[in-house]
Amino acid sequence: MEQTKYFIIDFDSTFTQVEALDVLAEISLKNNENQANAIQEIKDITDRGMEGGMSFRESLKKRVNILEAHQDHLPELVDRLSSLVSPSFKRNTEFINKYREQIFIVSNGFKDFIVPIAMHFGIKEEHVFANEFKYDETGKIVGFDETNILSENNGKPRQIESLKLKGEVFVLGDGFTDYEIKKAGLAHKFYAFTENVRREKILSEADHEAPSLDEFLFTQNLERAHSYPKNRIKALLLENIHEDAIMKLKSEGYQVETHPAGMTEDELAEAIKDVSVLGIRSKTIVTDKVLKNAKRLLSIGAFCIGTNQIDLKSALQKGVAVFNAPFSNTRSVVELALAQIIMLMRNLPDKMMQMHQGVWSKTANGSFEIRGKTLGIIGYGKIGSQLSVVAESVGMNVQYYDLEEKLALGNATPCPTLEHLLQTSDVVTLHVDGRPENEHMIGAREFEQMKDGVVFINLSRGHIVDIDALAANVTNGKIHGCSVDVFPEEPLSNKHPFSSPLMGLRNTILTPHIGGSTLEAQENIADFVPSKIIDYINTGSTSNSVNFPNISLPGLSQAHRFIHIHKNEPGVLANINNVLAQHGINIGGQYLKTNDTIGYVITDIDKNYKEEVIKDLKMVRGTIRFRVLY
């Protein structure tokens, strides 16, 4: 017969995010000129007591004496603490309500402010054990009830012992006094709660770390708001991804590790083994070998536009959704392209270098206006089309070539062939994707087709252009000037050396893959990509995924969601529904979308079902990945 479980929960820095006496000090000492020093002293005393460096009663006396608090301060304290309840407790009220007979708040804090908050969350008043303030006739707090065993050293074990609980006792807290319950042999396990504060000394004594209440409930297989604790989702972000992305993922509860540079295939294959979310930019190559090692990977975020550095087919076959930022940095790239067109037409790279060398070369030779010149855009996508509008606004004639039929913006005109564009453009700029068949799209033959004195710009992908052929045509004067931001081989980090045959050539701008590297663009990307990943993990929505079938899904309410990724084979949906029917499960909502490789089925059902249905769904022929959301 299964034993009854009892849950002993600390209040300060566990049920709430803060130490209540620290907050009371902020209120009671508001007009005290030494407020900052007094509050810091209270915090220091609290930490020493929590870590076992000072006897508890001594710690409590010292703090109460510093407070100068009054009974009138308590309503404000309760209001502030109510807004500071730990997020994981706020979202798991179902657990609290279901087990209210077995939940106890045992705190070295004070009932005066704990009881109103605990009762609001459904915890019984008689299940709150804590100290009580003493007041003088004016209502000033002058001490505490020293006969209360929770005001004494080792008070929590004595309190638990007096309850005579018959069953398994689990303690959830952040301090040494919580550990003392387990140390005294009165608890089955002690969970060090680290959602709000992390005390290494306490962690070393704990049976388990609980970064949130979700983690505790998950290990106990109890009702919880999240099907899977967010703290178990590890995100690895490479290549100096913007701090906003790191904070967004951390605020969702993920563990986030960062690495300032790209990684080699072997390095990434090792690092990715326990990673659920991978974030990269353009330097890191995610190969099939890497993905084979990614046993827990759910999603990859490309914090850029391009995704050719990711083996999308392999990711799809393994049920890994890939997201990028197709719009976030287009303006930054367009502005750089226009600036470089002007600089190269005016021969500014050489003139600027001469000035730094002490050479005054005031001449109009080789300098031209861009007004009236023809700009040829290869690739009329998000960047190319926006550049078209901006270039036309400064007086350029715009033409473009694209494999797909695209609607011309403004007065831009499409070219029937690439050759036609090359032969008739004064400036040629590349804005195509990195698909393998685009390798060396521009080589010796294409340069020969261009006008003499052409300006050439590549802000797309390094392998699109034959760099040696470009260098030869700059050297022989065919090309008036060139700008290259992307290269066939790029350093993994800023600490690695760079080399190119274009180095040192006349009227040549070389930039370190910074087309989209503006603060505005990186902030936009840092918001967009994590949002898509979080939405996918939380709801299953694949909107804007570059490899998955795109489905926008509603949020979940009082239901569980089955996410089933499978090979696109006949009969899988029927088999899924047969399993559900065999278990007597009624479908509340179902969504299906496929591509050539996979099928993506999302089924919403009532949350009351047997665990066997999950095992059976995982056994459906063709299943790649299955997970449950709620």
Side-chain angles (χ1 to χ4, degrees):
M1 183 177 176
E2 187 175 343
Q3 287 186 298
T4 301
K5 292 182 178 182
Y6 294 96
F7 309 101
I8 311 301
I9 300 171
D10 185 30
F11 185 78
D12 292 312
S13 295
T14 298
F15 195 88
T16 61
Q17 302 172 52
V18 293
E19 294 291 321
L21 293 188
D22 293 351
V23 179
L24 180 56
E26 293 173 4
I27 297 170
S28 65
L29 300 172
K30 182 166 50 179
N31 298 318
N32 190 314
E33 61 182 16
N34 293 317
Q35 181 197 45
N37 292 334
I39 290 174
Q40 187 57 53
E41 186 177 358
I42 289 173
K43 289 181 178 178
D44 291 343
I45 293 170
T46 299
D47 287 341
R48 288 177 63 191
M50 289 299 98
E51 293 173 0
M54 177 186 292
S55 72
F56 175 73
R57 174 161 283 192
E58 182 184 2
S59 163
L60 191 59
K61 281 185 175 180
K62 285 180 178 289
R63 286 181 287 166
V64 171
N65 288 337
I66 296 170
L67 280 173
E68 300 179 9
H70 192 278
Q71 194 171 24
D72 291 345
H73 294 136
L74 297 183
E76 182 180 350
L77 175 62
V78 170
D79 286 344
R80 289 178 61 173
L81 292 177
S82 296
S83 68
L84 292 170
V85 171
S86 297
S88 64
F89 277 89
K90 282 184 180 179
R91 63 177 170 260
N92 281 291
T93 54
E94 185 176 348
F95 158 74
I96 295 172
N97 290 327
K98 181 171 181 177
Y99 292 94
R100 64 194 306 265
E101 298 294 334
Q102 294 143 255
I103 293 175
F104 297 84
I105 297 287
V106 179
S107 171
N108 294 122
F110 293 84
K111 280 187 176 182
D112 310 61
F113 52 77
I114 294 175
V115 167
I117 297 167
M119 289 180 65
H120 176 75
F121 278 84
I123 296 170
K124 299 170 73 172
E125 181 176 3
E126 58 267 32
H127 282 196
V128 176
F129 295 91
N131 288 295
E132 294 181 72
F133 284 127
K134 277 188 172 182
Y135 308 91
D136 67 12
E137 63 279 2
T138 68
K140 181 181 178 181
I141 295 174
V142 293
F144 52 86
D145 180 4
E146 296 191 20
T147 65
N148 188 319
I149 58 176
L150 286 168
S151 72
E152 301 175 7
N153 297 335
N154 218 35
K156 284 191 178 182
R158 292 172 58 193
Q159 181 67 71
I160 299 303
E161 188 174 29
S162 71
L163 295 176
K164 302 186 185 307
L165 301 175
K166 303 296 183 182
E168 291 184 318
V169 175
F170 298 90
V171 178
L172 193 64
D174 66 284
F176 186 77
T177 57
D178 304 303
Y179 161 66
E180 285 180 329
I181 301 170
K182 169 68 188 302
K183 185 180 179 182
L186 297 168
H188 181 67
K189 280 189 177 180
F190 166 55
Y191 285 74
F193 191 78
T194 58
E195 183 171 341
N196 305 308
V197 62
R198 186 180 182 88
R199 308 183 198 277
E200 296 298 334
K201 186 174 180 180
I202 307 306
L203 276 168
S204 67
E205 304 287 358
D207 298 295
H208 197 99
E209 179 181 356
S212 64
L213 180 59
D214 307 285
E215 171 69 17
F216 171 74
L217 299 178
F218 180 79
T219 62
Q220 294 298 316
N221 196 27
L222 296 169
E223 287 79 359
R224 54 195 181 274
H226 291 158
S227 52
Y228 191 76
K230 299 292 182 69
N231 58 273
R232 291 193 171 211
I233 296 176
K234 178 179 175 182
L236 174 62
L237 304 184
L238 310 181
E239 304 182 57
N240 278 327
I241 287 171
H242 196 278
E243 182 68 23
D244 285 2
I246 298 171
M247 296 310 298
K248 195 173 186 76
L249 294 173
K250 282 185 175 180
S251 66
E252 187 67 13
Y254 300 171
Q255 296 181 53
V256 181
E257 290 186 11
T258 61
H259 185 71
M263 286 186 176
T264 65
E265 183 181 53
D266 288 341
E267 288 172 338
L268 187 55
E270 180 62 29
I272 205 170
K273 288 179 178 178
D274 61 345
V275 168
S276 300
V277 175
L278 175 66
I280 63 170
R281 293 176 74 184
S282 57
K283 293 184 177 68
T284 303
I285 310 300
V286 183
T287 64
D288 181 63
K289 175 183 175 180
V290 168
L291 290 165
K292 283 178 178 175
N293 271 21
K295 306 302 182 186
R296 300 180 63 180
L297 192 63
L298 293 172
S299 181
I300 299 172
F303 285 73
C304 51
I305 294 178
T307 55
N308 60 293
Q309 71 275 39
I310 303 168
D311 187 334
L312 295 176
K313 182 178 180 181
S314 181
L316 186 62
Q317 291 171 341
K318 291 172 175 58
V320 177
V322 179
F323 298 90
N324 69 338
F327 312 105
S328 300
N329 66 358
T330 54
R331 179 69 185 191
S332 297
V333 178
V334 166
E335 288 185 3
L336 183 61
L338 185 64
Q340 291 176 342
I341 291 169
I342 294 171
M343 291 181 71
L344 293 170
M345 291 292 284
R346 295 294 297 271
N347 201 24
L348 287 179
D350 288 351
K351 284 183 166 58
M352 289 188 293
M353 182 59 69
Q354 288 169 349
M355 289 294 288
H356 282 286
Q357 295 170 347
V359 177
W360 184 271
S361 179
K362 183 178 180 181
T363 174
N365 291 339
S367 295
F368 307 94
E369 291 183 353
I370 65 169
R371 181 178 54 175
K373 302 300 186 294
T374 298
L375 173 64
I377 301 173
I378 303 175
Y380 204 66
K382 298 174 182 70
I383 294 173
S385 58
Q386 191 174 148
L387 176 59
S388 167
V389 174
V390 175
E392 186 179 324
S393 72
V394 294
M396 298 192 80
N397 302 314
V398 179
Q399 58 184 8
Y400 65 90
Y401 174 75
D402 199 291
L403 292 176
E404 299 178 10
E405 186 174 344
K406 298 288 181 69
L407 176 66
L409 301 181
N411 294 315
T413 57
C415 292
T417 64
L418 176 59
E419 183 178 358
H420 179 272
L421 180 141
L422 297 176
Q423 291 173 344
T424 56
S425 298
D426 300 305
V427 179
V428 174
T429 180
L430 281 172
H431 301 286
V432 299
D433 61 36
R435 67 187 71 178
E437 52 266 39
N438 281 344
E439 184 169 4
H440 286 187
M441 170 191 281
I442 305 297
R445 176 174 173 271
E446 287 71 30
F447 286 122
E448 179 63 28
Q449 292 171 352
M450 294 180 193
K451 281 185 173 183
D452 290 342
V454 69
V455 165
F456 180 79
I457 293 173
N458 183 16
L459 285 161
S460 58
R461 295 289 178 271
H463 66 276
I464 305 298
V465 178
D466 183 338
I467 289 289
D468 291 326
L470 174 58
N473 280 275
V474 173
T475 302
N476 66 24
K478 172 77 174 183
I479 293 176
H480 175 70
C482 78
S483 175
V484 178
D485 185 54
V486 288
F487 301 87
E489 294 181 7
E490 297 181 358
L492 280 175
S493 74
N494 293 342
K495 296 180 180 180
H496 292 79
F498 167 73
S499 179
S500 171
L502 298 172
M503 293 167 63
L505 299 186
R506 60 167 187 80
N507 203 23
T508 295
I509 300 172
L510 303 181
T511 50
H513 205 145
I514 56 169
S517 294
T518 61
L519 288 178
E520 294 88 348
Q522 294 309 306
E523 287 172 358
N524 290 337
I525 293 170
D527 178 66
F528 185 85
V529 176
S531 294
K532 290 299 176 184
I533 291 172
I534 290 168
D535 195 26
Y536 170 65
I537 291 175
N538 287 351
T539 71
S541 178
T542 55
S543 175
N544 289 109
S545 172
V546 296
N547 66 334
F548 259 53
N550 276 210
I551 301 181
S552 294
L553 297 168
L556 273 173
S557 178
Q558 299 300 313
H560 283 196
R561 176 167 288 170
F562 290 167
I563 304 288
H564 195 280
I565 306 167
H566 58 268
K567 296 176 183 177
N568 188 3
E569 299 174 346
V572 177
L573 179 61
N575 291 337
I576 290 172
N577 288 338
N578 283 338
V579 169
L580 297 175
Q582 288 167 11
H583 287 273
I585 293 175
N586 186 48
I587 296 173
Q590 192 168 61
Y591 314 86
L592 165 68
K593 206 160 186 183
T594 64
N595 60 23
D596 290 343
T597 305
I598 69 164
Y600 190 50
V601 178
I602 299 92
T603 307
D604 291 348
I605 66 167
D606 184 81
K607 57 187 178 180
N608 296 313
Y609 57 87
K610 294 181 179 179
E611 290 293 317
E612 286 74 15
V613 68
I614 294 176
K615 296 178 183 177
D616 290 348
L617 286 170
K618 287 180 178 179
M619 294 301 293
V620 169
R621 181 176 55 83
T623 298
I624 295 172
R625 170 169 271 163
F626 177 85
R627 61 191 181 107
V628 181
L629 300 180
Y630 54 84

PDB file of all heavy atoms in Angstrom, residues 302-327:
ATOM      1  N   ALA A 302      18.497  29.678 -35.569  1.00  0.00           N
ATOM      2  CA  ALA A 302      19.523  30.370 -36.350  1.00  0.00           C
ATOM      3  C   ALA A 302      19.296  31.865 -36.139  1.00  0.00           C
ATOM      4  O   ALA A 302      18.325  32.425 -36.644  1.00  0.00           O
ATOM      5  CB  ALA A 302      19.413  29.993 -37.824  1.00  0.00           C
ATOM      6  N   PHE A 303      20.177  32.501 -35.380  1.00  0.00           N
ATOM      7  CA  PHE A 303      20.016  33.914 -35.050  1.00  0.00           C
ATOM      8  C   PHE A 303      20.569  34.770 -36.192  1.00  0.00           C
ATOM      9  O   PHE A 303      21.490  35.570 -36.039  1.00  0.00           O
ATOM     10  CB  PHE A 303      20.712  34.221 -33.722  1.00  0.00           C
ATOM     11  CG  PHE A 303      19.949  33.699 -32.526  1.00  0.00           C
ATOM     12  CD1 PHE A 303      19.909  32.336 -32.246  1.00  0.00           C
ATOM     13  CD2 PHE A 303      19.268  34.563 -31.692  1.00  0.00           C
ATOM     14  CE1 PHE A 303      19.201  31.844 -31.143  1.00  0.00           C
ATOM     15  CE2 PHE A 303      18.549  34.085 -30.597  1.00  0.00           C
ATOM     16  CZ  PHE A 303      18.522  32.736 -30.326  1.00  0.00           C
ATOM     17  N   CYS A 304      19.994  34.556 -37.352  1.00  0.00           N
ATOM     18  CA  CYS A 304      20.401  35.214 -38.588  1.00  0.00           C
ATOM     19  C   CYS A 304      19.322  34.880 -39.620  1.00  0.00           C
ATOM     20  O   CYS A 304      18.304  34.277 -39.283  1.00  0.00           O
ATOM     21  CB  CYS A 304      21.773  34.706 -39.052  1.00  0.00           C
ATOM     22  SG  CYS A 304      21.906  32.901 -39.145  1.00  0.00           S
ATOM     23  N   ILE A 305      19.564  35.249 -40.878  1.00  0.00           N
ATOM     24  CA  ILE A 305      18.594  34.926 -41.921  1.00  0.00           C
ATOM     25  C   ILE A 305      18.837  33.528 -42.489  1.00  0.00           C
ATOM     26  O   ILE A 305      17.937  32.711 -42.602  1.00  0.00           O
ATOM     27  CB  ILE A 305      18.650  35.963 -43.057  1.00  0.00           C
ATOM     28  CG1 ILE A 305      18.199  37.335 -42.555  1.00  0.00           C
ATOM     29  CG2 ILE A 305      17.767  35.536 -44.227  1.00  0.00           C
ATOM     30  CD1 ILE A 305      18.272  38.425 -43.598  1.00  0.00           C
ATOM     31  N   GLY A 306      20.077  33.247 -42.831  1.00  0.00           N
ATOM     32  CA  GLY A 306      20.399  32.003 -43.533  1.00  0.00           C
ATOM     33  C   GLY A 306      20.367  30.780 -42.639  1.00  0.00           C
ATOM     34  O   GLY A 306      20.607  30.846 -41.437  1.00  0.00           O
ATOM     35  N   THR A 307      20.072  29.625 -43.265  1.00  0.00           N
ATOM     36  CA  THR A 307      20.070  28.353 -42.530  1.00  0.00           C
ATOM     37  C   THR A 307      20.855  27.275 -43.274  1.00  0.00           C
ATOM     38  O   THR A 307      20.752  26.098 -42.939  1.00  0.00           O
ATOM     39  CB  THR A 307      18.620  27.862 -42.318  1.00  0.00           C
ATOM     40  OG1 THR A 307      17.954  27.795 -43.588  1.00  0.00           O
ATOM     41  CG2 THR A 307      17.861  28.785 -41.399  1.00  0.00           C
ATOM     42  N   ASN A 308      21.664  27.695 -44.276  1.00  0.00           N
ATOM     43  CA  ASN A 308      22.416  26.693 -45.029  1.00  0.00           C
ATOM     44  C   ASN A 308      23.511  26.039 -44.196  1.00  0.00           C
ATOM     45  O   ASN A 308      24.079  25.009 -44.585  1.00  0.00           O
ATOM     46  CB  ASN A 308      23.028  27.314 -46.295  1.00  0.00           C
ATOM     47  CG  ASN A 308      23.973  28.454 -45.970  1.00  0.00           C
ATOM     48  OD1 ASN A 308      23.554  29.501 -45.484  1.00  0.00           O
ATOM     49  ND2 ASN A 308      25.258  28.257 -46.235  1.00  0.00           N
ATOM     50  N   GLN A 309      23.823  26.605 -43.036  1.00  0.00           N
ATOM     51  CA  GLN A 309      24.822  26.020 -42.145  1.00  0.00           C
ATOM     52  C   GLN A 309      24.247  24.871 -41.324  1.00  0.00           C
ATOM     53  O   GLN A 309      24.955  24.231 -40.554  1.00  0.00           O
ATOM     54  CB  GLN A 309      25.427  27.100 -41.232  1.00  0.00           C
ATOM     55  CG  GLN A 309      24.498  27.636 -40.145  1.00  0.00           C
ATOM     56  CD  GLN A 309      23.586  28.751 -40.622  1.00  0.00           C
ATOM     57  OE1 GLN A 309      23.084  28.731 -41.728  1.00  0.00           O
ATOM     58  NE2 GLN A 309      23.362  29.742 -39.766  1.00  0.00           N
ATOM     59  N   ILE A 310      22.955  24.610 -41.500  1.00  0.00           N
ATOM     60  CA  ILE A 310      22.267  23.539 -40.768  1.00  0.00           C
ATOM     61  C   ILE A 310      21.806  22.473 -41.754  1.00  0.00           C
ATOM     62  O   ILE A 310      21.236  22.799 -42.801  1.00  0.00           O
ATOM     63  CB  ILE A 310      21.044  24.098 -40.012  1.00  0.00           C
ATOM     64  CG1 ILE A 310      21.463  25.217 -39.047  1.00  0.00           C
ATOM     65  CG2 ILE A 310      20.322  22.992 -39.256  1.00  0.00           C
ATOM     66  CD1 ILE A 310      20.298  26.006 -38.490  1.00  0.00           C
ATOM     67  N   ASP A 311      22.050  21.223 -41.425  1.00  0.00           N
ATOM     68  CA  ASP A 311      21.533  20.122 -42.239  1.00  0.00           C
ATOM     69  C   ASP A 311      20.033  20.002 -41.939  1.00  0.00           C
ATOM     70  O   ASP A 311      19.618  19.272 -41.031  1.00  0.00           O
ATOM     71  CB  ASP A 311      22.267  18.823 -41.895  1.00  0.00           C
ATOM     72  CG  ASP A 311      21.900  17.678 -42.829  1.00  0.00           C
ATOM     73  OD1 ASP A 311      20.785  17.691 -43.391  1.00  0.00           O
ATOM     74  OD2 ASP A 311      22.731  16.761 -43.001  1.00  0.00           O
ATOM     75  N   LEU A 312      19.232  20.752 -42.695  1.00  0.00           N
ATOM     76  CA  LEU A 312      17.796  20.826 -42.420  1.00  0.00           C
ATOM     77  C   LEU A 312      17.096  19.489 -42.602  1.00  0.00           C
ATOM     78  O   LEU A 312      16.163  19.150 -41.866  1.00  0.00           O
ATOM     79  CB  LEU A 312      17.150  21.885 -43.320  1.00  0.00           C
ATOM     80  CG  LEU A 312      17.597  23.333 -43.094  1.00  0.00           C
ATOM     81  CD1 LEU A 312      16.944  24.252 -44.111  1.00  0.00           C
ATOM     82  CD2 LEU A 312      17.270  23.789 -41.682  1.00  0.00           C
ATOM     83  N   LYS A 313      17.535  18.713 -43.589  1.00  0.00           N
ATOM     84  CA  LYS A 313      16.914  17.414 -43.848  1.00  0.00           C
ATOM     85  C   LYS A 313      17.138  16.472 -42.676  1.00  0.00           C
ATOM     86  O   LYS A 313      16.214  15.797 -42.203  1.00  0.00           O
ATOM     87  CB  LYS A 313      17.465  16.803 -45.134  1.00  0.00           C
ATOM     88  CG  LYS A 313      16.821  15.475 -45.502  1.00  0.00           C
ATOM     89  CD  LYS A 313      17.369  14.933 -46.822  1.00  0.00           C
ATOM     90  CE  LYS A 313      16.725  13.603 -47.172  1.00  0.00           C
ATOM     91  NZ  LYS A 313      17.272  13.048 -48.435  1.00  0.00           N
ATOM     92  N   SER A 314      18.373  16.426 -42.185  1.00  0.00           N
ATOM     93  CA  SER A 314      18.677  15.565 -41.049  1.00  0.00           C
ATOM     94  C   SER A 314      17.922  16.020 -39.804  1.00  0.00           C
ATOM     95  O   SER A 314      17.402  15.191 -39.051  1.00  0.00           O
ATOM     96  CB  SER A 314      20.188  15.572 -40.780  1.00  0.00           C
ATOM     97  OG  SER A 314      20.512  14.738 -39.694  1.00  0.00           O
ATOM     98  N   ALA A 315      17.845  17.332 -39.587  1.00  0.00           N
ATOM     99  CA  ALA A 315      17.103  17.860 -38.441  1.00  0.00           C
ATOM    100  C   ALA A 315      15.637  17.452 -38.522  1.00  0.00           C
ATOM    101  O   ALA A 315      15.031  17.036 -37.525  1.00  0.00           O
ATOM    102  CB  ALA A 315      17.239  19.380 -38.386  1.00  0.00           C
ATOM    103  N   LEU A 316      15.075  17.542 -39.711  1.00  0.00           N
ATOM    104  CA  LEU A 316      13.674  17.170 -39.916  1.00  0.00           C
ATOM    105  C   LEU A 316      13.451  15.692 -39.622  1.00  0.00           C
ATOM    106  O   LEU A 316      12.491  15.316 -38.941  1.00  0.00           O
ATOM    107  CB  LEU A 316      13.272  17.501 -41.349  1.00  0.00           C
ATOM    108  CG  LEU A 316      11.801  17.309 -41.732  1.00  0.00           C
ATOM    109  CD1 LEU A 316      10.914  18.230 -40.903  1.00  0.00           C
ATOM    110  CD2 LEU A 316      11.598  17.565 -43.213  1.00  0.00           C
ATOM    111  N   GLN A 317      14.335  14.860 -40.109  1.00  0.00           N
ATOM    112  CA  GLN A 317      14.205  13.415 -39.914  1.00  0.00           C
ATOM    113  C   GLN A 317      14.313  13.027 -38.436  1.00  0.00           C
ATOM    114  O   GLN A 317      13.815  11.982 -38.029  1.00  0.00           O
ATOM    115  CB  GLN A 317      15.267  12.680 -40.725  1.00  0.00           C
ATOM    116  CG  GLN A 317      15.037  12.754 -42.231  1.00  0.00           C
ATOM    117  CD  GLN A 317      16.198  12.223 -43.038  1.00  0.00           C
ATOM    118  OE1 GLN A 317      17.327  12.110 -42.532  1.00  0.00           O
ATOM    119  NE2 GLN A 317      15.951  11.892 -44.295  1.00  0.00           N
ATOM    120  N   LYS A 318      14.961  13.875 -37.659  1.00  0.00           N
ATOM    121  CA  LYS A 318      15.113  13.602 -36.225  1.00  0.00           C
ATOM    122  C   LYS A 318      14.090  14.360 -35.391  1.00  0.00           C
ATOM    123  O   LYS A 318      14.150  14.356 -34.158  1.00  0.00           O
ATOM    124  CB  LYS A 318      16.538  13.950 -35.791  1.00  0.00           C
ATOM    125  CG  LYS A 318      17.571  12.995 -36.388  1.00  0.00           C
ATOM    126  CD  LYS A 318      18.988  13.456 -36.116  1.00  0.00           C
ATOM    127  CE  LYS A 318      19.984  12.411 -36.623  1.00  0.00           C
ATOM    128  NZ  LYS A 318      19.843  12.143 -38.058  1.00  0.00           N
ATOM    129  N   GLY A 319      13.159  15.050 -36.058  1.00  0.00           N
ATOM    130  CA  GLY A 319      12.104  15.746 -35.333  1.00  0.00           C
ATOM    131  C   GLY A 319      12.561  17.011 -34.638  1.00  0.00           C
ATOM    132  O   GLY A 319      11.993  17.395 -33.608  1.00  0.00           O
ATOM    133  N   VAL A 320      13.581  17.672 -35.204  1.00  0.00           N
ATOM    134  CA  VAL A 320      14.113  18.906 -34.616  1.00  0.00           C
ATOM    135  C   VAL A 320      13.637  20.090 -35.453  1.00  0.00           C
ATOM    136  O   VAL A 320      13.960  20.186 -36.644  1.00  0.00           O
ATOM    137  CB  VAL A 320      15.650  18.879 -34.562  1.00  0.00           C
ATOM    138  CG1 VAL A 320      16.194  20.204 -34.025  1.00  0.00           C
ATOM    139  CG2 VAL A 320      16.135  17.709 -33.702  1.00  0.00           C
ATOM    140  N   ALA A 321      12.877  20.983 -34.838  1.00  0.00           N
ATOM    141  CA  ALA A 321      12.348  22.149 -35.546  1.00  0.00           C
ATOM    142  C   ALA A 321      13.394  23.260 -35.590  1.00  0.00           C
ATOM    143  O   ALA A 321      14.034  23.554 -34.581  1.00  0.00           O
ATOM    144  CB  ALA A 321      11.084  22.658 -34.864  1.00  0.00           C
ATOM    145  N   VAL A 322      13.558  23.873 -36.761  1.00  0.00           N
ATOM    146  CA  VAL A 322      14.549  24.934 -36.951  1.00  0.00           C
ATOM    147  C   VAL A 322      13.821  26.255 -37.226  1.00  0.00           C
ATOM    148  O   VAL A 322      12.911  26.319 -38.050  1.00  0.00           O
ATOM    149  CB  VAL A 322      15.503  24.614 -38.121  1.00  0.00           C
ATOM    150  CG1 VAL A 322      16.505  25.739 -38.326  1.00  0.00           C
ATOM    151  CG2 VAL A 322      16.225  23.287 -37.867  1.00  0.00           C
ATOM    152  N   PHE A 323      14.256  27.301 -36.514  1.00  0.00           N
ATOM    153  CA  PHE A 323      13.692  28.633 -36.692  1.00  0.00           C
ATOM    154  C   PHE A 323      14.809  29.620 -37.003  1.00  0.00           C
ATOM    155  O   PHE A 323      15.933  29.471 -36.515  1.00  0.00           O
ATOM    156  CB  PHE A 323      12.950  29.081 -35.428  1.00  0.00           C
ATOM    157  CG  PHE A 323      11.780  28.214 -35.075  1.00  0.00           C
ATOM    158  CD1 PHE A 323      11.942  27.106 -34.244  1.00  0.00           C
ATOM    159  CD2 PHE A 323      10.523  28.480 -35.569  1.00  0.00           C
ATOM    160  CE1 PHE A 323      10.873  26.290 -33.910  1.00  0.00           C
ATOM    161  CE2 PHE A 323       9.431  27.670 -35.250  1.00  0.00           C
ATOM    162  CZ  PHE A 323       9.614  26.572 -34.420  1.00  0.00           C
ATOM    163  N   ASN A 324      14.509  30.620 -37.811  1.00  0.00           N
ATOM    164  CA  ASN A 324      15.483  31.669 -38.098  1.00  0.00           C
ATOM    165  C   ASN A 324      14.818  33.028 -37.948  1.00  0.00           C
ATOM    166  O   ASN A 324      13.699  33.131 -37.453  1.00  0.00           O
ATOM    167  CB  ASN A 324      16.090  31.487 -39.500  1.00  0.00           C
ATOM    168  CG  ASN A 324      15.077  31.745 -40.604  1.00  0.00           C
ATOM    169  OD1 ASN A 324      13.866  31.658 -40.394  1.00  0.00           O
ATOM    170  ND2 ASN A 324      15.563  32.048 -41.796  1.00  0.00           N
ATOM    171  N   ALA A 325      15.522  34.068 -38.392  1.00  0.00           N
ATOM    172  CA  ALA A 325      14.995  35.435 -38.289  1.00  0.00           C
ATOM    173  C   ALA A 325      14.969  36.048 -39.685  1.00  0.00           C
ATOM    174  O   ALA A 325      15.869  36.815 -40.043  1.00  0.00           O
ATOM    175  CB  ALA A 325      15.857  36.255 -37.346  1.00  0.00           C
ATOM    176  N   PRO A 326      13.962  35.723 -40.479  1.00  0.00           N
ATOM    177  CA  PRO A 326      13.971  36.125 -41.888  1.00  0.00           C
ATOM    178  C   PRO A 326      13.784  37.620 -42.128  1.00  0.00           C
ATOM    179  O   PRO A 326      14.076  38.111 -43.213  1.00  0.00           O
ATOM    180  CB  PRO A 326      12.812  35.327 -42.491  1.00  0.00           C
ATOM    181  CG  PRO A 326      11.894  35.074 -41.347  1.00  0.00           C
ATOM    182  CD  PRO A 326      12.776  34.905 -40.147  1.00  0.00           C
ATOM    183  N   PHE A 327      13.277  38.344 -41.131  1.00  0.00           N
ATOM    184  CA  PHE A 327      12.986  39.768 -41.343  1.00  0.00           C
ATOM    185  C   PHE A 327      13.796  40.702 -40.452  1.00  0.00           C
ATOM    186  O   PHE A 327      13.894  41.888 -40.738  1.00  0.00           O
ATOM    187  CB  PHE A 327      11.494  40.044 -41.071  1.00  0.00           C
ATOM    188  CG  PHE A 327      10.568  39.070 -41.735  1.00  0.00           C
ATOM    189  CD1 PHE A 327       9.925  38.087 -41.007  1.00  0.00           C
ATOM    190  CD2 PHE A 327      10.349  39.121 -43.099  1.00  0.00           C
ATOM    191  CE1 PHE A 327       9.070  37.180 -41.614  1.00  0.00           C
ATOM    192  CE2 PHE A 327       9.496  38.219 -43.716  1.00  0.00           C
ATOM    193  CZ  PHE A 327       8.856  37.248 -42.978  1.00  0.00           C
TER     194      PHE A 327
END
